[in-house]
Structures are given as structure tokens and as C-alpha cells.
Amino acid sequence: MCQPYAAFVQKEILKPLQLQFTYTDYRATLAGRIPTGYSVPYNQLRRPLEPRRPTQALAASVGVYATTDDTCRFAASQCGSTTLLSDRTKQLAYRTQASIATGLDSGVTFGLGFRVKRIGKTTLFGHDGHLGGHSSATFFEPRAGLAVSIAANAQDAPVMQMMHGIWGALYWFDENIASSKDTLSVRA
């Protein structure tokens, strides 16, 4: 049975995961809760960008609004839980399906719906993106059950470099404090 995108996402994803602060597209009630997005610097100034508008037909691609708490909760649902996806479906989703060989994104690989990212010895899965003065990245490591989400309100915020730094710090602590019983292992 066909149903509207927003209704499907609400029923099949947002409600089961209790994502209370995730929306499938912009709506007027979000106006005061979304930070102003800023442009890249021009003449050493960042300019605020126009207020958000509904993305309508592009909502599935660029319209989702969520807090970092909710994006981490979504990512964590990929780590051991079968609330959304069976283990077999996750295996298929995490397998490299496409690799970009040339251009700006040369070397980027994708599974089904997730970007596949190697940092050190570990493979992470997630997504990053930029739209209208905002940048974000959320990546998770399913075996360790860890997720990291970053959101920024500047078009050129280095969210992937931040992501590398956070995961790098987690790995450093894991490798250098491995003898402690209180260590949270990021390697399964």
C-alpha cells in the first residue's frame, strides 16, 4: 500500500525509535528552534542565510531535521538492534555497493544508504551532508555499539575532520588505556 513519505517515516522509523525531535521536512513550528545557517566567509564575513523553507519533493534527500541526540539514537539502532533492519539486511547495507573513482569525492564508498568510512583499523558507517548553511555528520561502529553525531550551522564547517578527530581520540584511549577494566572498547 502506498503512503506519503512523511507518514511512512513517522510510522516505521520515528515512532519505533522514539525520535521525538526529528522531522521529515521544514515546518513553521521549527522556525525558532533551528539555528541560523551561515554562508562561507566572504571578505572575512559570514552572512546569515535566508530562513529555511520546506523542501517538499526533495524532503527524502535534504529535508530531514533532527537533533544530534536523535541522530545518535537512529545510528545506535543499527548496532545490534533489529527494530528497523534485520541482521541480514544490515549485512547488505554495510557492504560496499559503490565507490567513486574520480572527482571531488574520489575514494568515497557507499553501502546501501550509508557511507562506508575507514578510520584507522575500523570501518564506520554513516552519512554527512550540507544544506543551506548547515553541515552534519553521523557515523557509527556497529560492533562496538558507538555513534557520534556532529551538527554545525556554517556551510563550510569541517564536520568530517571533526568526526576523524573524535573517532581518533576514542581509538587512542582504547589502545593506550587498554589495561584498565573501565575502558570502553571501540574494537570488538
Side-chain angles (χ1 to χ4, degrees):
M1 177 173 88
C2 289
Q3 58 183 306
Y5 163 75
F8 176 83
V9 171
Q10 180 66 38
K11 178 183 173 193
E12 302 294 334
I13 299 172
L14 304 184
K15 190 173 181 181
L17 296 180
Q18 300 176 352
L19 303 180
Q20 298 176 16
F21 303 104
T22 299
Y23 307 91
T24 55
D25 201 354
Y26 180 81
R27 55 188 71 161
T29 57
L30 296 174
R33 299 188 342 206
I34 296 174
T36 300
Y38 290 89
S39 67
V40 296
Y42 179 73
N43 287 335
Q44 300 181 346
L45 294 174
R46 289 185 182 274
R47 305 215 186 283
L49 298 176
E50 289 187 28
R52 304 300 303 180
R53 294 187 180 135
T55 55
Q56 299 172 346
L58 297 175
S61 175
V62 296
V64 175
Y65 290 83
T67 62
T68 52
D69 286 345
D70 272 9
T71 55
C72 276
R73 185 175 288 121
F74 172 80
S77 78
Q78 309 302 309
C79 304
S81 169
T82 55
T83 302
L84 295 182
L85 301 175
S86 70
D87 289 335
R88 175 70 179 132
T89 302
K90 286 185 222 172
Q91 279 182 327
L92 295 171
Y94 302 159
R95 185 178 303 144
T96 298
Q97 303 290 334
S99 296
I100 299 174
T102 61
L104 185 61
D105 290 329
S106 178
V108 174
T109 59
F110 294 93
L112 295 175
F114 295 109
R115 182 171 170 185
V116 180
K117 183 78 177 155
R118 296 275 306 164
I119 296 180
K121 299 175 186 175
T122 302
T123 302
L124 305 173
F125 305 93
H127 195 276
D128 63 309
H130 311 273
L131 178 68
H134 294 87
S135 302
S136 65
T138 300
F139 281 81
F140 60 95
E141 206 286 84
R143 293 174 301 152
L146 294 174
V148 174
S149 184
I150 298 169
N153 65 331
Q155 184 109 8
D156 60 338
V159 294
M160 287 306 292
Q161 290 90 336
M162 291 180 215
M163 188 64 65
H164 276 266
I166 292 169
W167 283 102
L170 288 170
Y171 297 145
W172 184 90
F173 280 106
D174 192 46
E175 290 173 359
N176 292 286
I177 309 176
S179 61
S180 169
K181 292 180 184 176
D182 298 328
T183 300
L184 173 65
S185 180
V186 295
R187 300 202 201 291

